[in-house]
Amino acid sequence: MSHSMPQKKVICVIGVTGNQGSSVAQRFIQDPTYHVRGLTRDPSSSKAQELAAQGIEVVQANLDEVSTLQVVFAGANIIFSVTNYWEPFWRSDCRQKAAERGISCRQYAYEIELQQGKNIADAAAQHVDSLEDNGFIVSTLSHAQKSSRGEYRELYHFDAKADVFPDYVANNYPNLAGKMSCVQTGYFMSSYKLIPDAYFKKTNDGSFWMTFPTAPHVTVPHLDVNADMGNFVYAVSKMPPGRSYMAEGTTCSWTEYMRLWSEVNSVPAVYRQASLEEFVLGSPDAEFGREAGDMLAYSTNPGYDGGDKSLLKASDIRQAGIDCPMTSLEQFMKKENWLNVLQKT
């Protein structure tokens, strides 16, 4: 009598070549009970090929076309969803289209991300029966407009996510909502690479200044996205459905961030709160300055998490008896190569 291998569980990972998706795929591939199906626009890219070589099934899918998603979600037991505001935000054709319509590139990118999120939800709802009880794990952020009671109406890269995950899903697909976990992500520890001058402005005396519009002693979550998103989502998949999380390795103020960074690199470094206007003026791209500036100001009040104190963290997952290793900000800083920043002229 032959003992057949138990059927592997299928996890579909959206954006498998991106920061979050590749981390999730690489964590689940380590568990032999899973088959990892990674979605990407271009399976021939070098990053996609690299993942395929690790045993990940890389498939072509387009988040702008719900039909392509319906096909690749077939038989999925878990779907990991992530959408990317910044991809259309920076694209010159999108900026052109935004200008033609007389709207900001920020709003245009919001509309694209919002529609992609709805497409993911629409396609996932077609396959809700094959999903595990906690089989729809979505990367999202707090709802800025609601959480700030209308003070922040243009924090588009937050609301494009929150308008779908959880709102659109809850309003349209109660069965899918019942299988959903919402994972908010903290500030990526690697984001300094995008705006090194905002994080670390080298002054004439060789010291470094960080100037953000966040109050000096307000704490914000920090996430080593490439190392930890996979660990966190894998741990969340073992939890009951219907909960909301904050993925972070350390929650601390930007003042504390600079104190740690100063200590790790043995250079003087300080945090100074800037006005929103000053931050925007200092940004290489004004629209990016507005989007990031709003996020940094919103982090003061009501808070990066929208003031939601009920979000579960890695420590709560561990208390439930589930392993959830995360990288602290100090550990990240110690393993990172800071030469490019330190040697700035």
Side-chain angles (χ1 to χ4, degrees):
M1 178 180 165
S2 70
H3 291 277
S4 64
M5 290 287 291
Q7 186 72 39
K8 286 193 176 198
K9 294 191 282 192
V10 175
I11 176 169
C12 284
V13 178
I14 291 171
V16 75
T17 61
N19 286 318
Q20 298 185 42
S22 65
S23 184
V24 170
Q26 283 167 331
R27 175 61 188 90
F28 277 85
I29 201 78
Q30 291 168 31
D31 182 338
T33 61
Y34 285 98
H35 171 78
V36 181
R37 183 180 297 154
L39 283 55
T40 185
R41 269 174 319 200
D42 179 13
S44 68
S45 74
S46 57
K47 179 74 182 175
Q49 299 282 309
E50 199 180 296
L51 294 167
Q54 294 176 26
I56 293 162
E57 178 198 3
V58 179
V59 296
Q60 205 276 328
N62 184 346
L63 298 186
D64 299 315
E65 292 168 31
V66 74
S67 56
T68 68
L69 296 172
Q70 279 166 347
V71 173
V72 293
F73 286 170
N77 304 115
I78 299 179
I79 293 168
F80 171 70
S81 164
V82 60
T83 50
N84 185 354
Y85 174 88
W86 300 108
E87 198 271 331
F89 176 87
W90 289 114
R91 265 173 44 199
S92 55
D93 62 322
C94 292
R95 293 207 166 191
Q96 182 65 41
K97 285 176 189 157
E100 283 162 16
R101 283 184 43 200
I103 60 172
S104 69
C105 64
R106 295 168 69 190
Q107 187 182 338
Y108 189 87
Y110 162 87
E111 290 176 10
I112 290 188
E113 186 178 23
L114 179 76
Q115 188 58 54
Q116 289 183 343
K118 288 178 176 177
N119 291 347
I120 292 165
D122 292 348
Q126 304 287 313
H127 298 289
V128 68
D129 294 342
S130 69
L131 292 177
E132 289 184 353
D133 286 347
N134 189 22
F136 192 44
I137 303 177
V138 301
S139 174
T140 189
L141 291 166
S142 60
H143 199 294
Q145 188 163 343
K146 281 191 213 164
S147 303
S148 71
R149 296 190 173 84
E151 189 186 340
Y152 293 92
R153 296 175 184 274
E154 297 191 335
L155 188 37
Y156 289 119
H157 76 285
F158 276 58
D159 293 0
K161 297 171 182 68
D163 278 340
V164 181
F165 310 111
D167 296 359
Y168 176 82
V169 176
N171 293 334
N172 293 280
Y173 304 115
N175 294 352
L176 184 61
K179 293 184 170 189
M180 180 168 69
S181 289
C182 289
V183 178
Q184 293 184 29
T185 52
Y187 280 94
F188 292 177
M189 295 180 191
S190 54
S191 285
Y192 77 89
K193 293 174 185 170
L194 300 175
I195 40 170
D197 278 353
Y199 273 77
F200 310 110
K201 182 104 179 120
K202 196 172 191 176
T203 62
N204 294 336
D205 64 7
S207 65
F208 288 84
W209 284 23
M210 172 188 276
T211 44
F212 285 168
T214 311
H217 300 297
V218 165
T219 61
V220 297
H222 303 274
L223 171 67
D224 185 350
V225 61
N226 303 92
D228 293 347
M229 191 63 178
N231 292 334
F232 196 83
V233 168
Y234 183 81
V236 166
S237 74
K238 311 283 183 227
M239 293 282 284
R243 307 201 177 169
S244 294
Y245 301 84
M246 176 61 77
E248 49 84 55
T250 295
T251 289
C252 69
S253 67
W254 291 113
T255 304
E256 173 66 4
Y257 177 109
M258 286 305 268
R259 190 193 66 73
L260 277 173
W261 190 81
S262 167
E263 206 172 88
V264 167
N265 290 297
S266 305
V267 291
V270 291
Y271 179 75
R272 184 180 69 87
Q273 185 178 358
S275 70
L276 189 53
E277 296 71 25
E278 189 185 346
F279 181 82
V280 173
L281 281 172
S283 298
D285 180 90
E287 289 294 288
F288 177 81
R290 290 188 185 99
E291 188 68 34
D294 274 1
M295 166 178 67
L296 290 156
Y298 170 79
S299 294
T300 297
N301 186 25
Y304 182 89
D305 57 7
D308 184 351
K309 298 299 166 228
S310 70
L311 298 175
L312 301 174
K313 296 184 173 180
S315 52
D316 300 297
I317 295 175
R318 289 182 206 119
Q319 274 179 327
I322 297 163
D323 190 35
C324 188
M326 301 295 278
T327 309
S328 73
L329 187 57
E330 190 170 4
Q331 287 168 331
F332 171 84
M333 286 179 176
K334 284 180 171 166
K335 70 178 182 183
E336 191 73 359
N337 179 355
W338 296 101
L339 276 179
N340 284 347
V341 171
L342 295 169
Q343 291 174 348
K344 278 195 302 202
T345 47

